[in-house]
Amino acid sequence: MKILVTGASGFIGSFIVEEALRRGMETWAAVRGSSSKKYLQDERIHFIELDFSSEERLRQQLSGHHFDYVVHAAGVTKCIDKADFRRVNTEGTKNFVRALMAQPVPLTRFVYISSLSVFGAIREQQPYEEIHETDTPRPNTEYGRSKLEAERWLDALSPAPFPYIVLRPTGVYGPRERDYFMMAKSIKQHSDFAVGFKRQDITFVYVTDVVQAVFLALEKGQSGRKYFLSDGQVYQSTTFSDLIHEELGRPWWIRITAPVWVLRVVTFFGEHIGRMTGKVTALNNDKYNILRQRNWRCDIKPAISELGYHPEIDLKEGVRRSIKWYKENGWL
């Protein structure tokens, strides 16, 4: 079986490539010319450059190839210009799928990595309830809107059927991940920062459990289905930092909980500084909406019953593995 993984040099994509190799698949990694191949060193990997900004260019680049499976993990989570979310995550996906549909031999399955963020801040009245696939999405970030628009475009494909499955993971963490790593770095430097005094229910999923779901979707997924992914547990806002603190040997620290309006001020200036310097910053308007959201519960029962998904790594074990990797690789 021949598989193509886009975003292969990224956090989730690199783990998908490793699992495909472990399964003995002919594995193709789609990367940009400027992409780092640090985590793509296996000599069995085949590389292909894809330009998602042009359908015509994609058709040329894909010409002569036939893939049984495609996992589309490429995309952006932070941008200086909010229009780039739509340009990359929405229009890039459209161009790619159109080019794949023009191939003479059809795909067996296409897995699109979306996000729980397509739903935004819903079911926020306590006690919080799980977000269900039947709920109406109300994304509150540019990232979430761009992912939802791509999902809806896939839903509307006609007349030719396209065998796609959508995965919507909650917060994905693990080795090589950089955003949650910043929390670990901050705690090592003796500070922890939280936002808002209202209860916050958070969900997580370890990267290898996302990979598990990807291959289950490739094997069993029904076209058009969408699945939430988490580890099946619900945590409080301080749990993640408490576990990091423990794994770091409990250094002295100051935990600051600030009102939401303080975060609004910080991200407002962070967004403008990013535009002036041309550097993407984590302190942006999307981050503000993500951090102030109180309910991240989601219903993973369809993934369990239809795909056979069974998350293996809970937060405590996942944090242990992540911090161990960060230490061994000189990040901490």
Side-chain angles (χ1 to χ4, degrees), residues 164-175:
Y164 72 96
I165 300 99
V166 175
L167 299 180
R168 295 163 165 170
T170 183
V172 186
Y173 72 104

Side-chain angles (χ1 to χ4, degrees), residues 109 111 165 167 212-222 307:
R109 285 189 178 90
V111 170
I165 300 99
L167 299 180
Q212 174 200 158
V214 165
F215 285 89
L216 286 169
L218 291 175
E219 294 167 5
K220 304 177 182 180
Q222 297 179 22
L307 298 181

Side-chain angles (χ1 to χ4, degrees), residues 95-152:
N95 290 335
F96 184 42
V97 171
R98 288 190 190 109
L100 289 171
M101 292 176 69
Q103 295 291 95
V105 182
L107 289 174
T108 301
R109 285 189 178 90
F110 175 95
V111 170
Y112 179 58
I113 307 295
S114 186
S115 170
L116 176 58
S117 290
V118 301
F119 279 83
I122 66 173
R123 295 185 178 270
E124 296 241 299
Q125 296 299 315
Q126 297 189 51
Y128 302 134
E129 297 178 355
E130 291 179 337
I131 298 169
H132 296 276
E133 61 180 316
T134 54
D135 287 325
T136 301
R138 294 200 300 269
N140 54 359
T141 61
E142 295 299 330
Y143 171 72
R145 281 186 276 272
S146 68
K147 286 289 190 177
L148 179 61
E149 189 173 348
E151 285 191 19
R152 286 177 169 167

Side-chain angles (χ1 to χ4, degrees), residues 23 47 54 56 60 101 127 196 217 233 243 252 267:
R23 291 171 177 246
F47 291 97
S54 167
E56 182 180 355
Q60 293 171 356
M101 292 176 69
Q233 305 297 319
L243 290 170
W252 68 266
T267 55

